[in-house]
Amino acid sequence: MRWLGWGSVLWIQLMLSSLAWGASVESMRIWRAPDSTRLVFDLSAPVEHSLFPLKNPDRLVIDLSGAEMSSAVSKLATDNTPVKQLRWAPRNGKDLRIVLDLNASVKPRSFLLKPNASYGHRLVLDLDDQQRSSVKTVEEVVAPGASRSADVIIAIDAGHGGEDPGAIGYRGLKEKEVVLKIARELAKLLEAEPGFKPVLVRTGDYYVGLRKRTQRAREANADLLVSIHADAFKDRKANGASVFAISQRGATSETARWLASSENSSDLIGGVGGVSLDDKDSVLAGVLLDLSMTASLSASLDAGSEVLKEVGQVNRLHKRRVEQAAFVVLKSPDIPSILVETGFITNPTDGKNLASDAHQKRLARSIFNGVKRYFTRTPPPGTYLAGHKRGNQQHHVIARGDTLSSIASRYRVSVASLRQHNKLDADLLRIGQVIQIP
């Protein structure tokens, strides 16, 4: 070893260090949701890990194989979370042990995430609150045989959230922030409208799993799920808004998933007072699910068409018809669901518009108008809107693309009766015009 210079010795020490520690924890982030907490460890490389709880007092231990804690890691703010404090130390000379001292018991889940456009390797730790959720089930809200709520319930899903920023575009604009603002504005409009009740799937900057989004809509007994997003594409020229419903292929695959999953066998299909699958044979269960998915898809396309017409009045449309894709958030078999892409956040013009409070409010208003028109025309039985429709003559507000023939077909009346009833001498209609349906 005498012939080795200090530079060589230093190089060997660095090599030995890299063999001892294959990865380092470079930073940590924590996000609080109403019923859970997400803790994210940013890693320099993937690691093997184990997780186990300890009692008296409550603690959670995470062991990372061949890892170390970077000296650059700053203290984590754990206020308003079940984590009292977080501490760590080397273990066995080559591993890292992280201990979470807890002030409340939690149900932990952990998983690794691969790098994406925003982050590198990550270890994600979800801490679900153990106490009973304040959200009531459908069975608790409405007992069997009871009449349903007088309000049409709209579940509003702002995409992404927490450590998932969604698309990032114009001047660092984050999709998660834009869509939450639009969702909150839409909720305000629905709250002020008689006969409607909004339910926000996420109310703050935290992440909600895709399946959990539809689950929360179901727990709220929603009549429609509206998921709000802002598109992104590698070509910055791509622009315009879109509305999506589930594809037939996606609906078919979801039917199979429900039938194959025992955890879904007792869920209600078709809303409150609907059909439970747990006492049905596989053939009948498949037929019931298929009918439910078909009905939900038809309603989704109808509601999506109304929203698309309205959005097209405040934003250029990327496609002039409701598109269909297998988005997970649209796959509820018993809730009509649409996904609104409010524009391309990666496009300079769309991005600038999406950053504007005024444009966000116009988009929210357009979604509201479309939703309102759909449910005014086809209100769920037993709702305020259904009773209002029976007590008043039906009318239709002219939207872009409407013609007398299309309106006649929609309401199953003749064009001649429309003309006569509204004293129309010609087929010329103007946007915003109100006509009575005979």
Side-chain angles (χ1 to χ4, degrees):
M1 291 290 290
R2 294 180 64 183
W3 54 270
L4 289 176
W6 283 111
S8 299
V9 172
L10 180 61
W11 181 83
I12 290 173
Q13 289 175 336
L14 289 172
M15 284 294 293
L16 291 173
S17 176
S18 66
L19 289 173
W21 290 289
S24 63
V25 178
E26 298 179 327
S27 63
M28 300 179 291
R29 302 187 305 282
I30 194 166
W31 307 86
R32 178 63 183 163
D35 56 359
S36 66
T37 300
R38 171 164 285 192
L39 178 58
V40 180
F41 299 97
D42 292 305
L43 307 170
S44 62
V47 296
E48 292 185 2
H49 74 285
S50 61
L51 179 72
F52 60 92
L54 293 174
K55 293 288 186 182
N56 299 319
D58 286 330
R59 286 155 291 161
L60 198 60
V61 179
I62 310 118
D63 283 335
L64 281 67
S65 300
E68 64 175 346
M69 185 69 71
S70 169
S71 59
V73 171
S74 57
K75 185 179 178 181
L76 200 64
T78 58
D79 297 343
N80 302 315
T81 76
V83 181
K84 186 186 302 181
Q85 67 173 354
L86 186 147
R87 48 197 172 88
W88 59 85
R91 179 174 176 269
N92 299 332
K94 58 185 178 61
D95 300 333
L96 175 67
R97 170 162 287 185
I98 301 173
V99 179
L100 307 185
D101 294 315
L102 304 174
N103 51 38
S105 58
V106 296
K107 182 179 179 181
R109 292 178 295 116
S110 63
F111 53 94
L112 292 170
L113 289 177
K114 293 180 180 180
N116 61 18
S118 304
Y119 301 109
H121 292 281
R122 285 155 290 159
L123 170 62
V124 179
L125 185 63
D126 281 337
L127 309 175
D128 294 336
D129 296 350
Q130 286 282 41
Q131 62 264 33
R132 179 176 170 81
S133 171
S134 60
V135 178
K136 294 183 178 181
T137 64
V138 172
E139 291 91 336
E140 291 171 322
V141 174
V142 181
S147 61
R148 58 155 289 140
S149 166
D151 291 328
V152 171
I153 300 170
I154 309 299
I156 308 168
D157 169 42
H160 308 282
E163 81 284 356
D164 175 15
I168 298 178
Y170 174 78
R171 293 185 177 177
L173 191 65
K174 295 178 180 177
E175 180 181 4
K176 67 172 184 176
E177 297 171 354
V178 171
V179 298
L180 182 59
K181 289 180 181 179
I182 296 172
R184 286 172 171 166
E185 188 63 30
L186 175 58
K188 284 182 187 177
L189 295 170
L190 288 165
E191 191 71 57
E193 183 67 23
F196 286 93
K197 177 184 176 181
V199 175
L200 285 166
V201 170
R202 74 172 174 97
T203 56
D205 185 16
Y206 52 85
Y207 182 77
V208 179
L210 297 178
R211 294 282 180 193
K212 198 167 185 179
R213 293 170 193 255
T214 57
Q215 179 187 337
R216 288 186 176 179
R218 185 173 295 108
E219 289 170 345
N221 192 24
D223 297 286
L224 178 69
L225 171 64
V226 180
S227 188
I228 303 174
H229 289 256
D231 224 334
F233 196 63
K234 58 185 178 182
D235 185 355
R236 297 177 67 205
K237 293 179 181 178
N239 64 85
S242 307
V243 175
F244 287 85
I246 188 66
S247 68
Q248 193 61 54
R249 180 178 297 177
T252 302
S253 65
E254 189 66 5
T255 298
R257 192 190 76 86
W258 272 66
L259 287 172
S261 175
S262 59
E263 70 185 73
N264 292 318
S265 63
S266 61
D267 277 275
L268 289 176
I269 302 301
V272 175
V275 181
S276 173
L277 299 181
D278 56 1
D279 60 346
K280 308 297 185 295
D281 64 44
S282 59
V283 174
L284 179 55
V287 171
L288 292 172
L289 270 170
D290 188 55
L291 287 172
S292 183
M293 290 294 283
T294 300
S296 291
L297 175 57
S298 177
S300 300
L301 290 170
D302 285 348
S305 294
E306 297 291 359
V307 170
L308 189 67
K309 289 177 186 176
E310 292 293 332
V311 172
Q313 296 186 41
V314 300
N315 206 86
R316 182 187 177 279
L317 295 179
H318 188 63
K319 293 287 179 66
R320 295 192 171 276
R321 61 178 178 81
V322 178
E323 298 181 78
Q324 292 180 257
F327 290 113
V328 173
V329 78
L330 301 179
K331 288 186 175 184
S332 176
D334 52 346
I335 305 174
S337 306
I338 61 174
L339 187 147
V340 182
E341 293 281 9
T342 53
F344 280 80
I345 201 168
T346 46
N347 176 269
T349 302
D350 278 5
K352 185 177 181 180
N353 287 336
L354 287 169
S356 160
D357 289 344
H359 188 73
Q360 291 168 7
K361 290 180 179 179
R362 286 193 293 269
L363 283 169
R365 172 68 68 176
S366 68
I367 297 171
F368 164 77
N369 288 341
V371 169
K372 179 183 175 182
R373 189 191 346 257
Y374 170 74
F375 281 107
T376 300
R377 176 165 57 85
T378 56
T383 59
Y384 167 87
L385 294 180
H388 189 69
K389 180 178 178 180
R390 285 196 302 272
N392 296 278
Q393 187 177 30
Q394 198 169 4
H395 66 275
H396 178 86
V397 181
I398 303 301
R400 188 185 301 275
D402 279 347
T403 63
L404 276 183
S405 60
S406 67
I407 297 169
S409 174
R410 176 183 298 176
Y411 293 99
R412 299 180 182 179
V413 298
S414 67
V415 173
S417 65
L418 277 177
R419 286 200 190 98
Q420 182 179 0
H421 198 73
N422 292 277
K423 298 181 175 57
L424 299 174
D425 297 326
D427 289 350
L428 185 64
L429 301 172
R430 65 181 185 280
I431 294 174
Q433 179 183 356
V434 179
I435 63 173
Q436 302 299 323
I437 306 301

